Amino acid sequence: MSFANLALQTGMDAIVTGVNLVWVLTVTFLIFFMHAGFAMLEAGQVRSKNVANQLTKNLLTWSVGVIVFFLAGAAVSTIVGGLTGGGSYSITGAFMGLYSPEAGSVTAWTDWLFGAVFAMTAATIVSGAVAGRAKLRAYVSYTIVLAAVIYPVVVGFTWAGGFLATLGFHDFAGGMIVHGMGGLAGLTAAWIIGPRMDRFNSDGSVNVIPGHSLSFAVLGTLILAFGWYGFNVGTAAAPLAMDGGEVTLGSFSYVGRVALVTTLGMAAGAIGAAAVALQKTGKVDTLYVANGLLAGLVGITSIADAIVWPGAIVVGLLAGAQLPIVFGFVEKRLKIDDVCAVFPVHGSAGILGALLFPLFATSFWNGSASFVGLAIPQIAGVAVITAWTVGATFVVFRIIKAMGELRVSAEHEREGLDTSEHGVDTYPEFGKPDTLTDGSGV
Amino acid sequence: MSFANLALQTGMDAIVTGVNLVWVLTVTFLIFFMHAGFAMLEAGQVRSKNVANQLTKNLLTWSVGVIVFFLAGAAVSTIVGGLTGGGSYSITGAFMGLYSPEAGSVTAWTDWLFGAVFAMTAATIVSGAVAGRAKLRAYVSYTIVLAAVIYPVVVGFTWAGGFLATLGFHDFAGGMIVHGMGGLAGLTAAWIIGPRMDRFNSDGSVNVIPGHSLSFAVLGTLILAFGWYGFNVGTAAAPLAMDGGEVTLGSFSYVGRVALVTTLGMAAGAIGAAAVALQKTGKVDTLYVANGLLAGLVGITSIADAIVWPGAIVVGLLAGAQLPIVFGFVEKRLKIDDVCAVFPVHGSAGILGALLFPLFATSFWNGSASFVGLAIPQIAGVAVITAWTVGATFVVFRIIKAMGELRVSAEHEREGLDTSEHGVDTYPEFGKPDTLTDGSGV
Amino acid sequence: MSFANLALQTGMDAIVTGVNLVWVLTVTFLIFFMHAGFAMLEAGQVRSKNVANQLTKNLLTWSVGVIVFFLAGAAVSTIVGGLTGGGSYSITGAFMGLYSPEAGSVTAWTDWLFGAVFAMTAATIVSGAVAGRAKLRAYVSYTIVLAAVIYPVVVGFTWAGGFLATLGFHDFAGGMIVHGMGGLAGLTAAWIIGPRMDRFNSDGSVNVIPGHSLSFAVLGTLILAFGWYGFNVGTAAAPLAMDGGEVTLGSFSYVGRVALVTTLGMAAGAIGAAAVALQKTGKVDTLYVANGLLAGLVGITSIADAIVWPGAIVVGLLAGAQLPIVFGFVEKRLKIDDVCAVFPVHGSAGILGALLFPLFATSFWNGSASFVGLAIPQIAGVAVITAWTVGATFVVFRIIKAMGELRVSAEHEREGLDTSEHGVDTYPEFGKPDTLTDGSGV
């Protein structure tokens, strides 16, 4: 659909554009609100001495990232899409289409903002993995690269029409493109930066460092779930469409499936994680339930438009159930200190959902597609996005590390990043700064 | 309106469906977000040793309940509606209409989700009443029965076309069906389970056990008020309609009244509670103001589409004013430990609003209906819903109690449910676990 | 557009009204939710002994204010608009248009509510300035006057068609009318009431009294930013319009600009404040970043529909950068204790944005307006709103002060307003009431 001369739109064209914009703007705001969710979820999972640091990172991820994504990232997506997908593209056009849209192109900037809130979701996930020891400048530098290049390249390969799109890779709302990418980047970053002090003992055993507030963590979870309805259901972004001169239902012809499947996946995720926690420890760990709910959402995100609903329950259960197991694997085997469990929640759950697609695809069940035909693009997509994200993140963090700018000093880590990096005390009237003994679990 | 072949909708039909879906989905998300409100409101009102327990219950209410409501509850509503309302119905059809909607029925699943968020609101209210001593498994078991049967039967009697609907019972957005039901269930549950230890002294005097955070309680209140606009105004769920082949305003022809009356009722509720608190103690208790605002909302919810606006101020003031009084009655006379005041906020306020309807109904004031003609269905509706809810909840909780599964041990209650049921400490860096002296008010 | 007989609207008229109402109601709810943002932002910035007081003020600002604005304020706007703008008006009509809209005027009450959420935003800003020492009754009394007269007069001069509108004063979404007004009122109020005890030493030096929770402050910031999308983008309030019998895009023909510019201004505000803080202290103060983000939003609010996008980055950077500087000036030079920095965030940032308009106006850059022609109305608007707001607020607070009702006793201030005014302890299980030594910074 060409948007030339849209300002002159009248009649049915105006109605379609108006209704679609009401919807897209509303869900864009919801997705933006996920930053409050991430801020609370992550702040709740760090020590009280590092809370302000985590909150500042969240604020700056959005603030720095969204400007970078406007000035560079979005255009990079378009260019990479054209380059790798065989479509036509113009480097100048990619930038000027945003800097100076042609008169009448009323949706150029709203479309950009809709894309930007997805991009910033991917960006903010990383901060949870490197909490409690990354220098602010290191984190912000990585965010700039992520917003300008790393994420835009992933989108270029896929949503912007690149070679994975051509191949048939299916990722409806970004289960792999946004969450998988963010989770993999976080794991890589946490690996390079190394664990927090006292996280692992010299004999290889593990100390649990509990977050300072489950209340904030659960609040963040529920804010995220709220915003996620915008993320998933909102990706059915064109309620109405023009077809042969007549208004028809656009993406709202299947929006009910997205809404149902998102709900079932989320619910099953919480149950799956609760069940495994109960089986392992005899108790229903609150944080596993919360993160399981999110893992269920991540698992369903790439496939919410195109699976049979019982599949949502299965995917959700598995995405929730893998959480405690993968978290334990990352912690005990890989010895990576993924503070906010961003890999099991966003990474492995996103990969799982994308790979399970063929099994539950409506097109498989109604016979219009073959299992193998569906599976190959999914495996290719997961592999390419994983390789690119891990590789690019590895390079950036290694460079920052080589410059000696990655990690705060041991002294600063001990006293907490709130004091050393921000000069503030998050709770000046409560508690005491904890010294030395982060690993004691108290 | 038949939705057959909706996928083929074009032109005006598509526009009506598209616009109505944009609205219904948006308000559905807002209502879902009320879970964050309930979580914060209730967490703020419990002791710090029981916060994670309360949060887990909220997460599981949604997660378990919504799946049960999809697999069973919604169909039970339809069946009970048909059974008791004299309409035609099919048991298979009730289930299959959700499990496998006919092609083209684009709103089957969005309509279900819109109903589900109301159902889960009723469910989650109960958790606030039994806080601090119910076993997780007991609460989850009751939630399953509530989502599968207890609430669906109430909806069957009313919104699904059952005998109370036939009788003319008016409950616009669920002031009685959702909130009254939840508040009554909570009171019944709190009665059966008995008070928290130290809540009442052997001489019959009362100990106040203050919640751990007014900040979270007020945050929850404001999140709930936000979501409530979705709840009430969103129940005007069909902005547009088709009438004789032409598009007309559907429920948006009266949406202004709903929006105004909801606003005035909420505001008057806070003022009513503040005034009574000021009169009783000389001070304006923050928690009464917050809960009064919610009671005002509950009071107005059943009648927000059909009363004159000065009635909203009166109903709101009364709903707020009754709160401290009913709370005192429940506590001091009934000796029931309704931890989060769910009965005065949701129960008695909901009953009050439903019963005051005839006095302020636009149809009464414009002479198109008689006071008695309006009053009888309201009294019948309140009586039936009360009897059913209290009776069913009584039976379920008595059975769980008889199985010895209702209440945690005294030792677990003393150390807090966070440790005993979930193995977590909500605030590991703050405060100390309080032992023995819950009743000391410190 | 006349709304007579709107209940009879059919066809395209019904579609336009329905779509516009879906949008206006949605953004109205978002703007309402900003009260949760203000509550958290302000509560986080006060001592723990004054948290419940701050929360109660927020609840009562809304509850009392919105009823006053319905019964009086909105009509006063209309009357002042007619009086000063030369339009026709009727005093009876102004009130009766709300109390009893003519049949078919479906948007009278939704339009009122849309105006009311802006009014209450202005009102609630003041509470942050006088935190920690104002009597509840003093604050509520001022709120009544603000909602009935002070704010409505400002709206009368401007949006309601008064003389500033005639002059060409441009304030799209209330950067000056709402935020500038609120910030100026707060500064005036804080000046009259005097600083908190221990805030300034007898030698003129300054004690920092840190707020009790950066977590709540940042949560509030992000809730506000979420609601602000409703505030700004929502002010493009008529997605569709009728033009010559045909549907056209109404305010959505420029909504993309509003959305983009709001985003860039917000982001640049956080960066501007962070940069100045870093330059001044070598550290990135979290609260400056958060408040800088808000100042960027305030700065852009009056001009978001009509500036070139690079202007948004400049305005945002300056609005953020001025925050630490103006805050220091108010504190160190004026010796005014503006607890929550409402003047630098809402006042000076609002003034700045309004005055910078000519420099970045699209009409200036495309040659259709002259710099001077744009500048004069902006200067006049800022001057008039400042003079009126400061003058009226001065008079009201001086009267309350003369009655001895403005400020709590020193004893009550020391023990905290939660106990003395509300009889509650916000966090009964944490911390201790701090005595005497507020100024110690601990």
Side-chain angles (χ1 to χ4, degrees):
Chain A
M1 180 171 19
S2 162
F3 279 110
N5 296 317
L6 272 190
L8 302 176
Q9 283 185 346
T10 54
M12 292 301 158
D13 286 324
I15 291 173
V16 170
T17 301
V19 170
N20 289 0
L21 274 176
V22 167
W23 174 247
V24 165
L25 287 168
T26 300
V27 300
T28 296
F29 305 160
L30 287 178
I31 302 170
F32 166 74
F33 192 45
M34 292 174 75
H35 285 277
F38 279 110
M40 292 299 106
L41 176 63
E42 293 176 5
Q45 291 184 75
V46 303
R47 301 298 280 171
S48 64
K49 66 182 181 181
N50 295 324
V51 170
N53 177 253
Q54 205 59 28
L55 298 170
T56 312
K57 281 180 187 163
N58 278 281
L59 290 168
L60 289 179
T61 300
W62 169 256
S63 301
V64 173
V66 82
I67 289 184
V68 171
F69 191 72
F70 179 73
L71 296 178
V76 169
S77 288
T78 308
I79 294 165
V80 171
L83 259 177
T84 71
S88 70
Y89 68 98
S90 140
I91 292 180
T92 315
F95 286 93
M96 293 313 292
L98 273 181
Y99 292 179
S100 181
E102 57 181 314
S105 176
V106 296
T107 64
W109 286 336
T110 54
D111 288 348
W112 167 78
L113 185 58
F114 183 61
V117 291
F118 285 80
M120 294 306 105
T121 300
T124 204
I125 290 169
V126 179
S127 69
V130 298
R133 72 272 203 206
K135 277 192 188 175
L136 185 65
R137 71 183 63 178
Y139 175 72
V140 171
S141 301
Y142 176 73
T143 297
I144 292 172
V145 180
L146 182 146
V149 180
I150 304 179
Y151 174 80
V153 166
V154 175
V155 171
F157 290 166
T158 53
W159 290 336
F163 76 100
L164 288 174
T166 312
L167 201 63
F169 175 61
H170 187 93
D171 187 345
F172 177 59
M176 189 64 209
I177 294 170
V178 176
H179 292 279
M181 185 270 165
L184 286 158
L187 183 71
T188 309
W191 167 42
I192 311 281
I193 198 172
R196 285 168 292 174
M197 56 171 55
D198 298 330
R199 183 69 170 88
F200 298 105
N201 298 320
S202 50
D203 65 357
S205 63
V206 173
N207 292 313
V208 174
I209 303 179
H212 88 291
S213 171
L214 279 173
S215 302
F216 282 127
V218 172
L219 172 62
T221 300
L222 289 167
I223 292 176
L224 282 170
F226 173 50
W228 223 299
Y229 273 117
F231 204 94
N232 279 15
V233 186
T235 295
L240 299 177
M242 290 299 285
D243 184 9
E246 243 194 330
V247 180
T248 62
L249 285 178
S251 46
F252 269 24
S253 59
Y254 57 81
V255 76
R257 184 177 302 276
V258 180
L260 171 65
V261 153
T262 296
T263 302
L264 295 178
M266 159 174 29
I271 294 169
V276 170
L278 186 64
Q279 194 272 331
K280 284 177 75 167
T281 68
K283 300 190 176 184
V284 178
D285 182 289
T286 305
L287 197 54
Y288 277 139
V289 176
N291 274 326
L293 185 144
L294 298 176
L297 281 163
V298 169
I300 217 65
T301 292
S302 60
I303 57 181
D305 61 326
I307 60 166
V308 296
W309 66 258
I313 296 180
V314 177
V315 170
L317 285 172
L318 292 175
Q322 60 84 34
L323 168 74
I325 297 163
V326 171
F327 182 75
F329 178 80
V330 169
E331 178 188 56
K332 294 191 179 62
R333 296 298 166 100
L334 303 184
K335 303 284 184 203
I336 294 176
D337 184 13
D338 177 6
V339 178
C340 298
V342 308
F343 182 70
V345 172
H346 300 276
S348 51
I351 292 169
L352 180 82
L355 294 181
L356 287 175
F357 176 57
L359 212 54
F360 303 112
T362 52
S363 58
F364 173 66
W365 285 86
N366 68 23
S368 67
S370 74
F371 184 86
V372 172
L374 291 167
I376 288 172
Q378 295 307 95
I379 295 167
V382 167
V384 168
I385 293 171
T386 301
W388 163 252
T389 301
V390 172
T393 302
F394 179 86
V395 168
V396 175
F397 271 93
R398 289 292 297 192
I399 291 173
I400 300 172
K401 189 174 187 178
M403 295 165 67
E405 293 291 351
L406 184 51
R407 196 168 170 139
V408 300
S409 70
E411 188 189 354
H412 283 178
E413 186 177 346
R414 188 169 292 118
E415 70 175 312
L417 277 65
D418 290 5
T419 307
S420 62
E421 298 266 297
H422 308 285
V424 299
D425 183 354
T426 303
Y427 304 110
E429 301 182 55
F430 305 112
K432 317 121 194 104
D434 46 3
T435 53
L436 292 169
T437 53
D438 268 359
S440 71
V442 180
Chain B
M1 180 171 18
S2 162
F3 279 111
N5 296 318
L6 272 190
L8 302 177
Q9 283 185 344
T10 54
M12 293 301 158
D13 286 326
I15 291 172
V16 170
T17 301
V19 171
N20 289 0
L21 274 175
V22 167
W23 175 247
V24 166
L25 286 168
T26 301
V27 300
T28 296
F29 305 160
L30 287 178
I31 302 169
F32 166 74
F33 192 45
M34 292 173 75
H35 285 277
F38 279 111
M40 293 299 106
L41 175 64
E42 293 176 5
Q45 290 184 76
V46 304
R47 301 296 279 173
S48 64
K49 66 182 180 181
N50 295 324
V51 170
N53 176 253
Q54 205 59 28
L55 298 169
T56 312
K57 281 180 186 163
N58 277 282
L59 291 168
L60 289 179
T61 301
W62 168 256
S63 301
V64 174
V66 81
I67 289 184
V68 171
F69 191 73
F70 179 74
L71 297 178
V76 169
S77 288
T78 307
I79 294 164
V80 171
L83 258 176
T84 71
S88 69
Y89 68 98
S90 140
I91 291 180
T92 315
F95 286 93
M96 292 313 290
L98 273 182
Y99 292 178
S100 181
E102 57 181 315
S105 176
V106 295
T107 65
W109 287 335
T110 53
D111 288 349
W112 166 79
L113 185 58
F114 183 60
V117 290
F118 285 82
M120 293 307 106
T121 300
T124 203
I125 290 169
V126 179
S127 69
V130 298
R133 72 273 204 206
K135 276 192 188 175
L136 185 65
R137 70 183 64 178
Y139 175 73
V140 171
S141 301
Y142 175 73
T143 298
I144 292 171
V145 181
L146 183 146
V149 180
I150 304 180
Y151 174 81
V153 166
V154 175
V155 171
F157 289 167
T158 54
W159 290 336
F163 76 102
L164 288 174
T166 312
L167 200 63
F169 175 61
H170 187 93
D171 187 345
F172 177 59
M176 189 66 210
I177 294 170
V178 176
H179 292 279
M181 186 271 164
L184 286 157
L187 183 72
T188 310
W191 167 42
I192 310 281
I193 199 172
R196 285 168 293 174
M197 57 170 56
D198 299 330
R199 184 69 170 86
F200 299 106
N201 299 320
S202 50
D203 66 356
S205 62
V206 173
N207 292 312
V208 175
I209 303 179
H212 88 291
S213 171
L214 279 172
S215 303
F216 281 127
V218 171
L219 172 63
T221 300
L222 288 167
I223 292 175
L224 282 169
F226 172 51
W228 224 296
Y229 273 117
F231 205 94
N232 279 14
V233 186
T235 296
L240 300 177
M242 289 300 284
D243 185 9
E246 242 193 330
V247 180
T248 62
L249 285 179
S251 46
F252 268 25
S253 58
Y254 58 82
V255 77
R257 183 178 303 276
V258 180
L260 171 65
V261 154
T262 297
T263 302
L264 295 178
M266 158 174 30
I271 293 169
V276 170
L278 186 63
Q279 194 272 330
K280 283 177 75 167
T281 67
K283 300 190 175 183
V284 179
D285 182 290
T286 306
L287 197 53
Y288 277 139
V289 176
N291 274 326
L293 186 145
L294 298 177
L297 281 164
V298 170
I300 217 66
T301 293
S302 60
I303 58 182
D305 61 325
I307 61 166
V308 295
W309 65 259
I313 296 180
V314 177
V315 169
L317 285 172
L318 291 175
Q322 61 84 36
L323 168 75
I325 298 162
V326 171
F327 182 75
F329 178 80
V330 169
E331 178 188 56
K332 295 191 177 62
R333 296 297 166 98
L334 302 185
K335 303 284 182 205
I336 294 176
D337 184 14
D338 176 6
V339 178
C340 298
V342 308
F343 181 70
V345 172
H346 300 276
S348 50
I351 292 169
L352 179 82
L355 294 181
L356 287 175
F357 176 56
L359 212 55
F360 303 112
T362 53
S363 59
F364 172 67
W365 285 87
N366 68 22
S368 67
S370 75
F371 184 87
V372 172
L374 291 167
I376 288 173
Q378 295 306 98
I379 295 168
V382 167
V384 168
I385 293 171
T386 300
W388 164 252
T389 301
V390 172
T393 303
F394 179 87
V395 169
V396 175
F397 271 92
R398 291 291 298 192
I399 290 172
I400 299 173
K401 189 175 187 176
M403 295 164 68
E405 293 290 353
L406 184 51
R407 194 166 171 141
V408 300
S409 70
E411 187 189 354
H412 283 179
E413 186 177 346
R414 187 169 293 118
E415 69 175 314
L417 277 66
D418 290 6
T419 308
S420 62
E421 297 267 297
H422 309 284
V424 299
D425 183 354
T426 303
Y427 304 110
E429 301 182 55
F430 304 113
K432 316 119 194 105
D434 48 3
T435 54
L436 292 169
T437 54
D438 268 358
S440 70
V442 180
Chain C
M1 182 171 16
S2 162
F3 279 112
N5 295 318
L6 273 190
L8 303 175
Q9 283 185 345
T10 54
M12 292 300 158
D13 286 324
I15 290 173
V16 170
T17 301
V19 171
N20 289 359
L21 275 174
V22 167
W23 175 247
V24 166
L25 286 168
T26 301
V27 300
T28 296
F29 305 161
L30 287 178
I31 302 170
F32 167 75
F33 191 44
M34 291 173 76
H35 285 277
F38 279 110
M40 292 299 106
L41 175 63
E42 293 175 5
Q45 291 184 74
V46 304
R47 301 297 280 173
S48 64
K49 66 183 181 180
N50 295 324
V51 170
N53 176 254
Q54 205 59 28
L55 298 170
T56 312
K57 282 181 185 161
N58 277 283
L59 290 168
L60 289 179
T61 300
W62 168 255
S63 301
V64 173
V66 81
I67 289 184
V68 171
F69 190 73
F70 179 72
L71 297 178
V76 169
S77 288
T78 307
I79 293 165
V80 171
L83 258 176
T84 71
S88 68
Y89 69 98
S90 140
I91 292 180
T92 315
F95 286 93
M96 294 312 292
L98 273 182
Y99 292 178
S100 182
E102 57 182 316
S105 177
V106 295
T107 65
W109 287 336
T110 54
D111 288 348
W112 167 79
L113 185 58
F114 182 60
V117 290
F118 285 81
M120 294 306 106
T121 300
T124 203
I125 290 169
V126 180
S127 69
V130 298
R133 72 272 205 206
K135 276 193 188 176
L136 185 65
R137 70 184 65 179
Y139 175 74
V140 171
S141 301
Y142 175 74
T143 298
I144 292 171
V145 181
L146 183 146
V149 180
I150 304 179
Y151 174 81
V153 165
V154 175
V155 171
F157 290 168
T158 53
W159 290 336
F163 76 101
L164 288 174
T166 313
L167 200 64
F169 175 60
H170 186 94
D171 187 346
F172 177 60
M176 188 66 211
I177 294 170
V178 176
H179 292 279
M181 186 271 167
L184 287 158
L187 184 71
T188 309
W191 167 40
I192 310 281
I193 199 171
R196 285 168 293 175
M197 57 171 54
D198 299 331
R199 184 69 170 87
F200 298 106
N201 298 320
S202 49
D203 66 355
S205 62
V206 174
N207 292 313
V208 175
I209 304 179
H212 88 291
S213 170
L214 279 173
S215 303
F216 281 127
V218 171
L219 172 63
T221 299
L222 288 167
I223 292 175
L224 282 169
F226 173 50
W228 223 298
Y229 273 117
F231 205 93
N232 279 14
V233 186
T235 296
L240 299 177
M242 290 300 285
D243 185 8
E246 242 194 329
V247 180
T248 63
L249 286 179
S251 46
F252 268 24
S253 58
Y254 57 83
V255 76
R257 184 178 302 277
V258 180
L260 170 65
V261 154
T262 296
T263 302
L264 295 178
M266 157 173 31
I271 294 170
V276 171
L278 186 63
Q279 194 274 328
K280 284 177 75 168
T281 67
K283 299 189 177 185
V284 179
D285 182 290
T286 306
L287 197 53
Y288 277 139
V289 177
N291 275 326
L293 185 145
L294 298 177
L297 281 164
V298 170
I300 216 65
T301 292
S302 59
I303 58 181
D305 61 325
I307 60 166
V308 295
W309 65 259
I313 296 180
V314 177
V315 170
L317 284 172
L318 292 176
Q322 60 84 35
L323 169 74
I325 298 163
V326 171
F327 182 75
F329 178 80
V330 168
E331 179 187 56
K332 295 192 178 62
R333 297 296 167 100
L334 302 184
K335 302 286 183 202
I336 294 176
D337 184 13
D338 176 6
V339 178
C340 297
V342 307
F343 181 71
V345 172
H346 300 277
S348 50
I351 293 170
L352 180 82
L355 293 181
L356 287 175
F357 176 56
L359 211 55
F360 302 113
T362 53
S363 58
F364 173 67
W365 284 86
N366 68 24
S368 67
S370 75
F371 184 86
V372 173
L374 292 166
I376 288 172
Q378 296 306 97
I379 295 168
V382 167
V384 168
I385 293 172
T386 301
W388 164 253
T389 301
V390 171
T393 302
F394 179 87
V395 169
V396 175
F397 271 93
R398 290 292 296 192
I399 291 172
I400 300 172
K401 189 174 186 177
M403 296 165 65
E405 292 291 353
L406 184 51
R407 194 167 170 141
V408 300
S409 69
E411 189 190 352
H412 283 178
E413 187 178 345
R414 186 169 292 118
E415 71 174 311
L417 277 66
D418 289 5
T419 308
S420 62
E421 298 266 297
H422 308 285
V424 299
D425 183 353
T426 303
Y427 304 110
E429 300 182 55
F430 305 114
K432 317 116 194 111
D434 47 3
T435 54
L436 292 170
T437 53
D438 267 1
S440 71
V442 181

